[in-house]
Amino acid sequence: MLPQIGLIKPMSKDEPTLWQIDVSHFSEKARWALAWKGVEHRRRSPTPGAHMAVALWLTRGARYTFPVLRLDGRNIGDSTAIVAALEERFPEPPLYPVDTAERRRALELEDYFDEELGPAIRQLAWYELGQDRERFEALMRQTAPAPLARFAGPTAAYARLYTKLRFRASDAAEAERSQAKVLAALDRLEAELGDGEYLVGERFSVADLTAASLFYPLVRPPEGPIAADEEGAKGFEAFREPLRERRGLAWVAEMFRRHRKPAQAAAAA
């Protein structure tokens, strides 16, 4: 049974603020952790690309990527560090297993999916979007900040250039390597699950949250950042189609259904 989670009023007058990118799976990991903990917070979504300068400013040069969480006067970069800080500040309901061996295993799996799946599925998604201008523009209309969404064509052109430079999104050979890594991560997910409901022990943990968050672009659950009925780029859909019946993707959808509050539940800014 799910814990009864209410919104936690932070003790600090400095309300938590998540600096994020709406479609980012690493931002989704942070949003999910905040929702799981019931932490009321604001969200800020600067223009992608410009967000790197914001991240550098917020973290005093330590990080140039989002998400960044402002919590109790600190700016915390990196989704893994954000989860750790939330676990310390708001220990209930927990994301880290109590058992030492299980906690170590959960953190190992978090690291694996962060490093092996996260960058690969991002590169592949942007590569395929770069080959499908119509879908790219549709995504910009849906997810870009309001002033940019009204100009989907120029915004998509800017995004294509940015992702080409930032994520090698025009590199077909890199996309092939990314496909292989995503499939390897899916195999690993299913092997780790075995016949169980969760990756570690008998309850939801940081390992499950991380794997489900980072696989969301391949599953597009209703509770995720992108509408479930939105079609992806043609190449990404072709990659996705033969995987639809895989147990691992059904598990991702189930984790979102069971454990993910709607993305819009927190205050936005």
Side-chain angles (χ1 to χ4, degrees):
M1 180 180 294
L2 286 177
Q4 297 298 312
I5 304 173
L7 287 179
I8 297 172
K9 291 292 185 181
M11 291 184 291
S12 171
K13 293 181 180 179
D14 186 6
E15 184 180 19
T17 300
L18 181 67
W19 295 80
Q20 53 129 41
I21 296 174
D22 289 337
V23 298
S24 162
H25 52 350
F26 284 112
S27 290
E28 173 59 14
K29 179 183 170 184
R31 289 190 295 262
W32 194 337
L34 284 157
W36 178 258
K37 297 292 186 180
V39 179
E40 186 174 359
H41 62 285
R42 293 179 296 163
R43 294 181 187 161
R44 297 289 177 86
S45 303
T47 304
H51 77 281
M52 297 173 73
V54 176
L56 285 167
W57 171 67
L58 289 169
T59 63
R60 298 184 178 182
R63 305 285 305 181
Y64 60 87
T65 59
F66 277 3
V68 174
L69 176 66
R70 182 164 183 81
L71 180 66
D72 294 337
R74 294 187 296 148
N75 291 323
I76 305 158
D78 182 75
S79 62
T80 296
I82 288 170
V83 173
L86 289 171
E87 187 74 358
E88 180 180 2
R89 177 68 172 78
F90 305 103
E92 296 295 333
L95 282 169
Y96 290 175
V98 174
D99 178 80
T100 302
E102 288 188 352
R103 177 179 295 201
R104 181 170 59 250
R105 186 66 183 145
L107 294 175
E108 287 173 355
L109 288 171
E110 178 187 24
D111 184 65
Y112 169 79
F113 288 112
D114 275 346
E115 298 300 322
E116 296 299 321
L117 172 62
I121 201 168
R122 177 178 59 198
Q123 193 276 336
L124 178 61
W126 287 119
Y127 171 80
E128 297 296 356
L129 276 168
Q131 313 304 306
D132 189 339
R133 287 175 176 254
E134 182 178 348
R135 179 63 194 118
F136 210 138
E137 290 187 14
L139 181 67
M140 292 302 104
R141 283 192 293 272
Q142 179 190 346
T143 63
L148 297 178
R150 290 194 293 269
F151 304 97
T155 299
Y158 161 76
R160 277 194 298 272
L161 177 60
Y162 169 73
T163 57
K164 176 180 177 180
L165 297 173
R166 176 74 176 87
F167 303 124
R168 301 178 66 181
S170 63
D171 189 330
E174 186 66 21
E176 287 187 14
R177 287 188 286 272
S178 293
Q179 282 190 1
K181 285 190 172 187
V182 172
L183 292 174
L186 183 56
D187 290 342
R188 174 76 180 270
L189 172 64
E190 292 173 345
E192 295 286 347
L193 281 170
D195 296 327
E197 292 185 72
Y198 298 108
L199 284 166
V200 178
E202 298 182 356
R203 62 176 298 164
F204 187 77
S205 76
V206 65
D208 306 295
L209 183 148
T210 302
S213 296
L214 301 188
F215 266 119
Y216 105 75
L218 204 57
V219 178
R220 291 204 302 276
E223 302 83 0
I226 297 177
D229 57 354
E230 286 284 342
E231 289 191 5
K234 293 176 182 177
F236 199 74
E237 290 298 311
F239 174 69
R240 183 175 178 246
E241 183 59 34
L243 306 176
R244 287 180 183 271
E245 302 304 316
R246 292 280 297 261
R247 189 209 171 195
L249 298 193
W251 175 87
V252 170
E254 181 66 7
M255 289 299 100
F256 269 88
R257 188 190 69 79
R258 287 189 196 179
H259 298 301
R260 180 69 173 99
K261 286 186 173 183
Q264 65 268 28

